[in-house]
Each structure stands twice: as structure tokens, then as C-alpha cells.
Amino acid sequence: MAEVAAAPAEFAPAEIEEFKESFGLFDRVGDSQVGYNQVADIMRALGMNPTNKAVVAILGNPSADDMANKRVNFEAFLPMLKQVDAMPKGTYDDYVEGLRVFDKEGNGTVMGAELRIVLSTLGEKMSEVEIDSLMTGQEDENGSVHYEAFVKHIMSV
Amino acid sequence: MGCGLGKSEPLLKKFHKAISAALLIQRWYRQHVARLEMRRRCTWNIFQSIEYAGEQDQIKLYNYFGFLMDHFTPASSERNLISHIFRKNEICLDTEWERYFCYKSIEVTKSYTGPHLTFPMTFCGVSKLVEAFKHKEQLHARYVLKLLGETWRLLRTFPNISHVIACHTKPITICGDLHGHLEDLLLIFYKNGLPSSDKPYVFNGDFVDRGKNSLEILLTLFGFLLVYPNDVHLNRGNHEDHIVNLRYGFTKEVLGKYRVHGKKILKLLQMIFSWLPLATVIDNKVLIVHGGISDTTDLDKIARVDRQKYASALRPPKMKVHGCMTKMNENREREACGQVEGRRRVCSLTYHSSAPDHRHDLPRRSLNNTPVCSKLDLSVDEKLNSRCRLSGFDQARCEVKKSDSYLESKTTETDLDEWKQIVDMLWSDPMPQNGCIPNEVRGGGCYWGPDVTEEVLRRNNLQLLIRSHECKQDGYEFCHNRRVITIFSASNYYEVGSNRGAFIRMGPDLVPHFIQYQASTTCRELTLRQSVGWTERSALQALREQLFVHRSDLISAFQEFDPNNKGMISVTHWASTTERVLNLGLPWRVLRPQLVSSTQHGMMDYQQWIKELSITEPKLEISDNSILDTMYKNHSNLETIFRIIDTDHSGLISFKEFHQTWELLRSHLKTEISAKAIADLAQSIDFNKDGSIDINEFLEAFRLVDISAHN
């Protein structure tokens, strides 16, 4: 899982128009801007999947106050989006590799319970509600998750 | 995790791998949620835009009638078709009303299996009524009329503004729009208890229209009102209005359920609606109104108005006033400005270039002082023009007439002022920006900002404004620094799974507590993703219908970008053109993958796309596509006009009336459809071949029914 940054590619004009439309969907105030605390989600809605830490860095490491109150317009947002676009997004194989770490018996399954603990304690912790929502219907009667099917499922949104 | 370096290196590596794995999954999950949220917002925008466009459409139609009324001579047949909806109720004396609405002659036969009511109403009686409605029974017309009569008598004794004291032992329950959703009202009663002197309730308007049990909701609420007049408070909403009811289903519901006495029931309801109080105030601190406020809201004025004069909030009491909502007609003519100010809906960053400037041109008020005639007759029908001239109402005269009416006594101005207070209270919506501007999206009332909230609350010594009028995904929403609450009680309003409903419980500390719910078990079992998907499918279907009815306009517009007639257009042009034609303020590029099956190198085949949109087969043999399209597009307008014309509510109109309807609609829409085509159409839809047209059959024939395979 080497993290190699590609050279930032240019977006096509039509793509930019589409990003602008999506950006507008998140503007709840009507000033053609969005809050700093929405930037990560908009990028995700546009097909990127940065970590929160990466977004905070791109925003220039703002204070908590700034995160809550500052706003950014589309022109300032676009270059940030480009930077994030250059980051590796994660392929099917990456996800499967990642989950295989927890496959103790090497049989294609991970324990649901273990996954839950990992997601709530490591990395950018998820809440119980978020984890429940993620895992609904994924554990079999033994509480195991068949992770290749799991990854296929989550990538099919 | 481990201490010695050598042995723990593989462990450390594993640890890092675990973290990376966790991060990957977390990133993926958050992306999934963000994308769902975006889909949900798109879907919401679609539903809301179509809803508000429909409201705007109706007001335009009504304004058009107003224009006809003011400019046609009394002798004209067209005017006569519609004049009765503007006529004030002639019978004024109470005794005459009593005679008209007398239920005594209506017999309850032995075959009636529904509930029997005794008067005066008791708690037992109204609980029985609720049970009966739960079991889908229908109340006999005799009891309906008696109950409504008693309600009317009671409402006349109420002031315009109800005052309530909050009490420790009796928290007040506040409910928002119900819109005929009986299951939601029953759910509220189940969770919260029935209204009583220990359980006071405020119902904040819009009890009727859209849902199919509007009448049952009214009878239930009125029943409780009669038993507990000091503890049940009803505020009027913009749908408690007989003109609005013509379009949005309540009129149809009543006439369908009560074929013999429906007309009387509707008339009595019309009076009851005009007698509904306009606002409720709790402890002189919390104001509850259906729509909202404006910068001119004055509670003292509201307290003094003669509220029953305003049978329909859509029209001021004096007929010869040109201002009223004709401003909305002006906006229709403003095609050059592109879409309507995008405040309310997704602000289209990609289209509106002139909107900010446009905003400064808008006068603060949507009423008075608009020179109507010069703008309205842009391309008005030849016939209309000649009638205008014949009856002496030419342009210059119009202006003179207008200034005359303003020289009249002050009562006209006061009436207008009062009327505006009421319209603003019933139709306005909050906006995030400061200021107060006309609400063009709905066509009535204002958009008011946080500064107006502060000022009005301060001026009237209030601390909180509770209003309804707008559907919210979670059933409620704060805005304006938590000084305004929107409370909406009809769950699944747009579609099963679209939103929750909510109500407020409030004690003497005046702190609102929210209880949310969602009727219907099916949607509770769906995951978020499934529920978003379901609602989304429904919204896209509604959107496809809109696209379908506008197909001729769309094709002509596309052809402007396709001079060589190749049938192809770029995605960019497709998006901007579709917005221009439909004017819904939607994110077309985001929606494109779900509306257009394939594109190549950024181009699409629009002819093919339009073909693929064909979602219905005409039920009649009508070769002229433009008539068909006009029918589909104006389904609601047609229905409204028919119901207005059909004064005896027989459900039938003559060929002549049909022809006149068409003339009315044609000049309003400025479409070109030949008289012969209309006559042929009339013949072909005379299904019974008896010289008259059945309204319901006709409307059914032109209702869009999706024939495409779609799960």
C-alpha cells in the first residue's frame, strides 16, 4: 500500500461545471460558499476519499474556531480538490489487503467484533452509530465478515 | 505494543498495517455517507422545486382570472364562468345561513353503519369518531353538517390571536402541517395522548390537501375543539383556502366522499376557514403562525382585522385593485433574467449571472404600485385586446383607473395593508440572508431574514417564533440563531421514506422538546441507503414527467445549439438549456447520469433521449402532439378551471363550457391551438356521447401514467 502521489491532473471544464453544481448543493446559507467543516464531505461527495487529517492540512491547519466559522468559495476550493484528487484513492485490492490484516485464520473472513473495535479505536475513529450502519447485514451467524464480498458491496454505491 | 526493538518490528509493522487498514475503511465509509447525503439533497431539491413550481403556477392562473375580472365587461361569458369564485358570500344574515346549512332534513337511514354523533359533543363522542376513522368509516353528511355548523358558531367567538398560558401540569403540544395524513395525526395521539383540558394542543394550519383524509382530520380537530374550546387552538394555514383546495385535492376529496351534500359542506368549510384564528401566542412570549412574518408584521393590526373578510388569502377584498399578486405575472414575463432568485433552492452557481443585479431591481413589496397593464398585455390574445378596447379599458385608461382607485378613501389602503399582514403570516418563508423580499418561488408572502426576526420579536416583546409551511427532513429545524423553529408533522410527505414528522412539547420554561416519528412500517425497516434510493427513484420519476411534458419546448431549445441538425448536443448545453426551459433550479449535471443513459465524448443524442422519456401512451387517438403536451403540462390548471366552472359540482360540463375553458386557458398560456382542434377534442372525449364531458374521465385520460418497466 505505497502512498505515491501522482502529478495533479487538470480537470476538464465540464467536470468543473459539475463540481460547481455539487458545491452549490452544500451551500446552506446562499452566499456561494461552504464552511470549512463541510469541505471534507464535499470532496468525498465528488468521489475523493481523503482522511480528515489530509483535509485539515490542505485547509492550512485552521483552528477549531476557524473550522466552525470560516467559509470558502468555489474558486478557492478547486485547487484543494485538485490536491486531494492526486492522492491515491484506494483500489479493491487495497481494501482487501487492508482487511486481510485482521484475517487471523487466513480463511477469507474477519471477526465482526474485532473489526468494530479496530474502527472505533484506531485511525480516525468511527462512532458506534457509524459502525452499526456500516456493518448492518454483513456479519454471518458466527459474527464473521466475508471481506471480499464486503469490499465489493461497499464499493458498489 | 511490544518493547524490544528487534522482536517487535514485525509487530510494529502489523500495527501500522492495522492503522492503515482502519483508515482506509473509515475513509471509504465517510465517502459513502457524503455521497448518500448529496443524493438525498438532490432528491429533496427535486421534490421541493416541483412543489413550489406548482404553487407558483396556481397563483399565476388565479392572477390571470383577476386580470380577466378587472378588464372584461360583466356581460362576457368568460367572465361569468369564473366570476362566482370572486363573489363574496351574498347571504349575510345568520338565519339565512342556518337555513341553507340545515342538516335537519337529512335523514340517517338504517343502512348507515358509521358512527352516530350526539350534540353537544363530548370527549366520548369525539373519541368514538376517531376510532371510526381509524376503521375507515365515513361520517354521515347529517352529522358532518351539524358538526361543522357548531364549529362555525364557535369560531366566530374567537379572537384573531389565541392566547395560551403554559402550565407545569399541562405542557402544550404544538403540531405543524398535516395535509390530510390521518395516520400521522393518529400516531401523534398515540404517542402523546388525545387533546383534553390536561393536554392542550396547538395545530398550526395546513390540515388539508394532498393527503386523502383531509376531511377526517378536520372533523377530528373540530370535534376536539368543540369539546375543549379553551385547550385546542387551530391556526389558519395557506391551504385553509377554497381556491387552493381546488387544485390540491381537498375539493375533490369532499365531492368524492359526499356526492349529494358535498357542495354544501364545501361552502360551510369556506366560511369556517375564513373564521380560523390567525395566530397563537404562548405566555406572551412564543408566537405561533403557519407561514411566518415580514418586516411589517404588526400583531396589534392583526388582532384588529376583520379576518372573515378574507375567504381566500390569494385575493384582496377589493376587486379593482390591480397590484395584489399581479407582480407574479410580471415575473413570468421576465424570461431574460433566467431562473428565479436561487435563494431557496440549490443556488445554481453555474447559471445565474444576472440574479444578484436582478435582486436590487426588485421592489421591497410584491403588492401595490405595479403598473400592470403595460406589462401584462405583451402578447395577450387578440380577443382579449379587443374586449379591452371595446369595454373602454385600454392601456391609458387602466392607468387612470388605477390612480382613481388610489384616490379613493383610505379604507382601500387599510384593506390592502391588512390583507398583506395576513398573506405574509400564511405564506412567508425564512431565508438565511438579512432583509425582506417578495417570495417569488411560492408566489405569495415574503422571504424574511434573521434581522427581521430579531426586530419583530423585539418589537412585540417575544422570544421565539414557531412556524410550519415547509417540509423538513427531520420533522423540524431551527434557524435564525435558534429564534425560529419550523415544525412539520406530515411524515413521508414527498414519498414514503422522504422525511420524518415531528411535534413540540413545551412547558412553562418555554423550552421546546421535539418528538419525531414516521408513519408506515415499511420505511422504518429500510436502511438509510435503501430509503434514499427509494425516494430518489420517486423524485426522478416525477422529474422525468416534467421533462416529458416539456419535450416540445426542450427540442426546440436544443435545436438552437444544433444548427446542422445532427441530433447531438454537448452535455454543457443540455444542462443549461434544460434549466432554461424547466426553470426548476436543479443541479442538472449532477443528475445527468441518472437521466441520460449514455454520452460520448461529452455529447449526447437529444432526440433519442426525448424518445426514451416517453413514459405514457396516449389513451386517446389524438394526432396533434402539441395538444397532448399542453394537456399533460397543464393538468392541474385544467382541473382547477373545470372545478371552478362546474358550479353545481355535477362533474359534467357542456361542450360550450369546455370550449370556453379552453379559450381561457389558451389566452393565459398564450398557446396556439386551433378552434377546430378543440372541437375535435371535445367530440373525442365525449365518452358517453351525450353532449357533455365528464371532468374526472377527462382528467384521467390525460394523467401521466408510467408504462416503462421501473421497479
Side-chain angles (χ1 to χ4, degrees):
Chain A
M1 273 189 276
E3 301 269 322
V4 175
E10 286 302 313
F11 293 125
E15 267 186 301
I16 295 181
E17 293 290 293
E18 188 173 335
F19 294 155
K20 210 171 178 188
E21 247 185 25
S22 305
F23 186 85
L25 276 171
F26 285 84
D27 168 16
R28 304 274 276 168
V29 171
D31 60 354
S32 305
Q33 297 184 92
V34 303
Y36 269 29
N37 52 14
Q38 292 175 285
V39 169
D41 281 336
I42 301 176
M43 290 177 167
R44 289 168 182 138
L46 295 180
M48 325 281 163
N49 61 359
T51 56
N52 289 334
K53 189 167 157 197
V55 176
V56 165
I58 288 176
L59 283 170
N61 293 309
S63 65
D65 206 44
D66 283 347
M67 277 301 271
N69 295 317
K70 270 186 132 172
R71 297 174 72 73
V72 57
N73 65 17
F74 185 70
E75 283 63 46
F77 170 77
L78 198 53
M80 295 183 199
L81 192 65
K82 274 209 196 95
Q83 274 187 271
V84 167
D85 188 42
M87 296 177 182
K89 293 190 181 62
T91 62
Y92 170 81
D93 289 332
D94 287 335
Y95 287 116
V96 171
E97 271 295 308
L99 283 166
R100 193 165 288 141
V101 167
F102 305 104
D103 183 358
K104 300 236 154 56
E105 292 164 36
N107 61 1
T109 68
V110 298
M111 287 304 296
E114 184 168 350
L115 202 49
R116 285 169 188 267
I117 295 176
V118 166
L119 292 173
S120 60
T121 53
L122 299 184
E124 294 186 336
K125 305 177 181 131
M126 283 168 66
S127 71
E128 201 177 313
V129 170
E130 288 179 310
I131 294 174
D132 276 338
S133 156
L134 172 67
M135 308 278 293
T136 308
Q138 298 303 316
E139 289 156 291
D140 66 16
E141 25 340 311
N142 303 320
S144 306
V145 176
H146 298 255
Y147 53 85
E148 284 197 53
F150 180 56
V151 174
K152 278 210 183 76
H153 155 75
I154 67 179
M155 289 191 90
S156 67
V157 174
Chain B
M1 243 194 191
C3 31
L5 269 177
K7 248 195 266 187
S8 63
E9 230 184 84
L11 264 174
L12 212 53
K13 215 174 167 181
K14 209 171 177 207
F15 181 49
H16 284 307
K17 260 193 154 178
I19 295 183
S20 301
L23 277 174
L24 204 54
I25 298 170
Q26 288 155 348
R27 280 162 60 191
W28 169 80
Y29 175 75
R30 295 192 167 113
Q31 182 195 54
H32 171 60
V33 168
R35 288 174 74 156
L36 269 184
E37 175 58 19
M38 189 163 85
R39 280 168 66 189
R40 195 200 60 72
R41 283 190 202 209
C42 273
T43 301
W44 195 261
N45 281 338
I46 293 175
F47 278 132
Q48 204 165 56
S49 300
I50 295 180
E51 175 185 14
Y52 293 166
E55 287 187 352
Q56 210 190 95
D57 211 28
Q58 161 149 58
I59 291 193
K60 284 180 195 166
L61 184 67
Y62 194 58
N63 283 340
Y64 175 67
F65 289 159
F67 173 74
L68 289 180
M69 289 300 296
D70 291 344
H71 295 100
F72 274 30
T73 62
S76 95
S77 53
E78 279 87 348
R79 194 181 191 269
N80 284 336
L81 280 181
I82 57 168
S83 61
H84 64 276
I85 59 171
F86 298 104
R87 206 175 294 136
K88 274 197 69 158
N89 291 318
E90 296 99 16
I91 318 170
C92 295
L93 296 176
D94 288 352
T95 45
E96 293 188 23
W97 278 127
E98 306 262 340
R99 221 175 320 135
Y100 180 71
F101 292 123
C102 190
Y103 58 90
K104 294 199 175 109
S105 56
I106 306 176
E107 245 199 79
V108 181
T109 60
K110 291 223 186 344
S111 58
Y112 173 67
T113 53
H116 293 268
L117 294 182
T118 54
F119 292 83
M121 284 288 276
T122 59
F123 180 73
C124 237
V126 67
S127 320
K128 241 185 7 185
L129 189 60
V130 173
E131 276 307 303
F133 288 153
K134 235 188 251 184
H135 295 107
K136 309 209 191 299
E137 292 169 26
Q138 184 167 306
L139 187 64
H140 196 280
R142 179 196 173 96
Y143 298 130
V144 173
L145 284 169
K146 172 107 181 138
L147 199 158
L148 293 181
E150 293 299 311
T151 305
W152 174 58
R153 252 177 240 111
L154 179 62
L155 284 176
R156 288 161 70 208
T157 66
F158 289 176
N160 295 341
I161 302 180
S162 312
H163 285 272
V164 189
I165 312 286
C167 167
H168 253 300
T169 50
K170 321 192 304 181
I172 300 174
T173 307
I174 304 160
C175 299
D177 293 28
L178 287 165
H179 280 301
H181 286 214
L182 184 61
E183 63 276 13
D184 284 309
L185 183 60
L186 294 175
L187 195 44
I188 295 173
F189 286 163
Y190 177 73
K191 282 168 113 54
N192 196 54
L194 294 172
S196 70
S197 44
D198 291 326
K199 194 144 285 189
Y201 270 81
V202 177
F203 291 96
N204 200 15
D206 276 14
F207 318 120
V208 302
D209 278 332
R210 299 189 201 275
K212 24 189 211 53
N213 294 104
S214 301
L215 191 54
E216 284 75 18
I217 290 198
L218 280 185
L219 295 171
T220 304
L221 296 182
F222 292 160
F224 280 109
L225 180 72
L226 288 173
V227 183
Y228 301 106
N230 299 317
D231 303 292
V232 174
H233 307 273
L234 306 179
N235 285 345
R236 187 176 185 186
N238 63 309
H239 278 260
E240 274 69 58
D241 180 326
H242 68 287
I243 303 289
V244 176
N245 299 151
L246 283 168
R247 186 190 185 100
Y248 287 101
F250 182 48
T251 307
K252 187 174 175 182
E253 179 188 324
V254 173
L255 294 176
K257 287 177 177 167
Y258 294 93
R259 289 176 191 277
V260 178
H261 300 284
K263 188 180 174 187
K264 258 196 202 158
I265 293 175
L266 284 173
K267 201 106 195 115
L268 190 39
L269 281 169
Q270 190 178 318
M271 287 161 48
I272 288 178
F273 285 166
S274 71
W275 275 108
L276 284 171
L278 299 168
T280 301
V281 176
I282 303 181
D283 283 0
N284 286 312
K285 288 265 154 255
V286 179
L287 173 62
I288 309 176
V289 293
H290 174 73
I293 54 176
S294 76
D295 52 353
T296 55
T297 292
D298 182 341
L299 287 183
D300 292 327
K301 269 196 191 141
I302 302 261
R304 289 195 304 259
V305 307
D306 184 10
R307 70 181 189 270
Q308 58 82 29
K309 278 194 327 200
Y310 305 92
S312 167
L314 292 186
R315 181 122 174 130
K318 293 282 190 258
M319 301 256 240
K320 289 257 191 266
V321 177
H322 299 278
C324 59
M325 291 197 189
T326 40
K327 184 78 183 72
M328 305 313 146
N329 271 338
E330 281 199 333
N331 292 326
R332 173 160 60 102
E333 317 300 351
R334 279 212 192 112
E335 267 144 0
C337 291
Q339 69 169 62
V340 167
E341 172 64 52
R343 280 162 199 277
R344 298 303 301 148
R345 300 168 300 211
V346 173
C347 198
S348 172
L349 300 179
T350 46
Y351 311 121
H352 70 84
S353 44
S354 57
D357 303 316
H358 167 220
R359 194 160 21 114
H360 292 130
D361 294 338
L362 282 176
R364 282 298 219 75
R365 310 281 180 273
S366 61
L367 306 173
N368 323 335
N369 312 323
T370 34
V372 164
C373 300
S374 51
K375 301 214 171 126
L376 260 180
D377 80 341
L378 274 182
S379 36
V380 164
D381 208 355
E382 273 291 315
K383 196 169 169 199
L384 260 182
N385 275 337
S386 68
R387 280 189 179 273
C388 261
R389 279 193 290 274
L390 281 175
S391 53
F393 284 92
D394 62 28
Q395 282 202 32
R397 293 281 204 101
C398 284
E399 302 276 14
V400 168
K401 258 246 115 24
K402 184 173 83 73
S403 54
D404 272 348
S405 67
Y406 279 99
L407 287 175
E408 271 173 22
S409 67
K410 268 190 74 184
T411 45
T412 316
E413 270 190 45
T414 316
D415 279 339
L416 269 189
D417 190 47
E418 278 183 0
W419 173 70
K420 182 182 188 297
Q421 294 276 335
I422 295 180
V423 174
D424 287 342
M425 231 172 205
L426 265 38
W427 283 82
S428 301
D429 290 313
M431 67 175 175
Q433 304 89 338
N434 282 336
C436 190
I437 58 171
N439 188 328
E440 288 168 2
V441 173
R442 291 206 199 243
C446 307
Y447 284 125
W448 87 90
D451 55 338
V452 176
T453 295
E454 286 307 310
E455 176 54 29
V456 170
L457 289 182
R458 186 196 60 80
R459 210 163 56 208
N460 293 282
N461 252 309
L462 301 160
Q463 70 189 40
L464 179 64
L465 170 63
I466 299 179
R467 44 88 64 174
S468 303
H469 198 40
E470 285 181 294
C471 182
K472 295 294 174 190
Q473 213 213 348
D474 294 313
Y476 74 96
E477 192 176 89
F478 278 100
C479 68
H480 293 187
N481 302 316
R482 297 178 78 90
R483 301 275 262 163
V484 176
I485 298 175
T486 300
I487 184 75
F488 195 85
S489 301
S491 66
N492 307 319
Y493 180 63
Y494 289 125
E495 173 56 82
V496 171
S498 68
N499 65 290
R500 290 195 275 182
F503 59 90
I504 297 173
R505 243 187 241 137
M506 186 178 271
D509 57 358
L510 301 182
V511 171
H513 300 274
F514 299 94
I515 295 93
Q516 297 160 299
Y517 54 85
Q518 197 154 15
S520 156
T521 43
T522 17
C523 57
R524 270 199 287 268
E525 280 148 22
L526 296 174
T527 62
L528 176 62
R529 179 171 156 185
Q530 286 170 320
S531 142
V532 168
W534 183 285
T535 320
E536 190 181 48
R537 261 192 295 274
S538 180
L540 289 171
Q541 185 52 26
L543 193 53
R544 276 192 207 96
E545 283 175 10
Q546 289 294 312
L547 290 166
F548 177 74
V549 301
H550 285 91
R551 59 201 167 146
S552 348
D553 292 335
L554 282 169
I555 292 193
S556 332
F558 289 149
Q559 278 167 340
E560 289 174 32
F561 291 98
D562 180 26
N564 301 324
N565 237 324
K566 297 250 173 68
M568 301 288 278
I569 190 175
S570 75
V571 170
T572 307
H573 286 147
W574 170 82
S576 58
T577 309
T578 304
E579 174 51 32
R580 191 161 45 89
V581 172
L582 256 63
N583 202 19
L584 286 173
L586 291 175
W588 295 102
R589 290 178 185 83
V590 173
L591 293 169
R592 185 201 46 84
Q594 283 156 314
L595 292 172
V596 181
S597 49
S598 66
T599 61
Q600 270 186 335
H601 311 297
M603 303 288 285
M604 58 170 280
D605 182 338
Y606 61 87
Q607 297 279 9
Q608 181 61 22
W609 176 63
I610 296 280
K611 265 203 205 76
E612 281 168 8
L613 276 180
S614 277
I615 59 179
T616 193
E617 257 166 14
K619 296 180 183 157
L620 299 171
E621 292 299 308
I622 299 180
S623 49
D624 190 337
N625 261 338
S626 67
I627 293 190
L628 263 186
D629 283 356
T630 310
M631 295 291 188
Y632 289 135
K633 218 192 297 193
N634 292 284
H635 196 268
S636 296
N637 281 338
L638 276 171
E639 176 161 7
T640 306
I641 298 178
F642 281 154
R643 296 207 186 282
I644 292 177
I645 288 180
D646 178 27
T647 46
D648 60 1
H649 299 298
S650 62
L652 300 169
I653 55 174
S654 67
F655 277 17
K656 180 159 180 244
E657 285 169 332
F658 178 73
H659 186 94
Q660 285 168 327
T661 303
W662 200 256
E663 285 292 300
L664 270 177
L665 190 61
R666 185 166 74 86
S667 65
H668 168 54
L669 300 175
K670 301 171 193 161
T671 50
E672 290 308 316
I673 295 192
S674 72
K676 178 172 188 318
I678 301 299
D680 286 345
L681 182 63
Q683 293 286 355
S684 66
I685 57 183
D686 175 10
F687 299 119
N688 302 323
K689 298 283 168 268
D690 61 357
S692 66
I693 294 164
D694 182 311
I695 297 177
N696 284 326
E697 278 185 15
F698 173 74
L699 291 172
E700 211 31 48
F702 291 102
R703 200 167 58 83
L704 283 174
V705 174
D706 179 24
I707 55 163
S708 65
H710 131 90
N711 44 343

